[in-house]
Amino acid sequence: MYNFLVFSIIFLGLTTLLCMFRVIKGPTKGDRIIGINIIGTKTMVIIAIVSSILSEDYFIDVVLVYALISFIGSYVVSRELIQSEKEE
Amino acid sequence: MNIIAVVLISFGLFFFFVGTIGVIRFPDALTRAHGAAKCDTLGAVLSLLGLIVLKGFSPSSIKLLMVIIFLWIANPTATHMIARAILASSGRENKTLGESKDANKTELTIEEAGEVK
């Protein structure tokens, strides 16, 4: 079980790198917001798996707060993009 | 119980991988948002469900269930907002594209009508 959880962490890290490619290259601003949203979700799952490996229960609170902050961050950035486009 | 957890986490990783491929390979920003939504909901929820099955019934698993419920509410909302932002930032290009496509369509229909006549 331990080996499988470590493998899943490494796999999620590699897919995070692939998403980072889209964040860096992305032609429009929306592509970058999408990539950062996915990276936030993957980071949440990675923290949850780490808490399951180390059997530390308080990491789950970190996951909960990270979900809230990730949602508010993507919401605020996209709202700001809409507002700036309306002004132009 | 371990086997069920491994299967659930494997499905979650599969959906994460598929969503990442979609984000890289799709041609447009809105289609990439579609792939990202699959990655967010199915991948994360299946992985966290696997961790819940692995831990059994405990306070931390109830917190993970709260995370899943929050993800099901928040991620579609965030994806909707991002799609609105993409649509607002590329509004002019989409409008011109739609007009040109409509013009081509009317031309084609006129040509077809002429051929029929």
Side-chain angles (χ1 to χ4, degrees):
Chain A
M1 202 59 208
Y2 174 81
N3 287 330
F4 177 71
L5 290 180
V6 171
F7 163 75
S8 58
I9 285 180
I10 294 171
F11 188 82
L12 283 177
L14 289 178
T15 51
T16 304
L17 281 181
L18 288 177
C19 277
M20 211 63 197
F21 167 75
R22 175 53 66 195
V23 173
I24 293 171
K25 194 195 167 196
T28 63
K29 294 172 187 171
D31 294 323
R32 297 195 166 97
I33 301 176
I34 288 169
I36 288 183
N37 200 9
I38 294 184
I39 288 176
T41 308
K42 280 174 188 171
T43 311
M44 267 172 37
V45 176
I46 286 176
I47 294 172
I49 293 174
V50 166
S51 89
S52 179
I53 287 179
L54 299 178
S55 65
E56 299 273 2
D57 282 345
Y58 62 87
F59 277 10
I60 306 297
D61 302 337
V62 179
V63 174
L64 200 51
V65 175
Y66 200 92
L68 291 165
I69 291 177
S70 169
F71 167 64
I72 291 175
S74 58
Y75 181 83
V76 166
V77 171
S78 49
R79 184 190 170 90
E80 183 60 33
L81 193 57
I82 291 173
Q83 291 291 330
S84 66
E85 289 297 327
K86 274 182 184 175
E87 285 174 1
E88 288 175 0
Chain B
M1 224 50 176
N2 275 345
I3 296 172
I4 299 173
V6 167
V7 168
L8 282 175
I9 296 176
S10 302
F11 271 114
L13 292 183
F14 169 74
F15 276 110
F16 268 126
F17 188 57
V18 169
T20 309
I21 288 177
V23 167
I24 290 176
R25 292 277 297 170
F26 273 148
D28 197 4
L30 285 172
T31 51
R32 279 172 200 148
H34 166 73
K38 296 296 162 292
C39 188
D40 278 342
T41 52
L42 274 176
V45 168
L46 281 177
S47 300
L48 294 179
L49 212 61
L51 288 179
I52 287 176
V53 170
L54 193 63
K55 280 191 177 180
F57 187 75
S58 65
S60 61
S61 65
I62 293 176
K63 282 177 190 171
L64 276 176
L65 203 63
M66 283 170 58
V67 172
I68 286 178
I69 293 171
F70 178 75
L71 275 183
W72 266 345
I73 297 172
N75 266 331
T77 315
T79 308
H80 179 81
M81 203 67 192
I82 291 169
R84 274 182 68 188
I86 293 166
L87 205 61
S89 66
S90 67
R92 292 174 189 167
E93 299 174 8
N94 278 341
K95 262 187 186 176
T96 53
L97 276 178
E99 282 174 359
S100 66
K101 274 181 185 174
D102 285 340
N104 285 332
K105 266 187 182 178
T106 50
E107 284 177 8
L108 278 178
T109 50
I110 288 170
E111 285 176 1
E112 286 173 359
E115 285 178 0
V116 168
K117 280 177 184 178

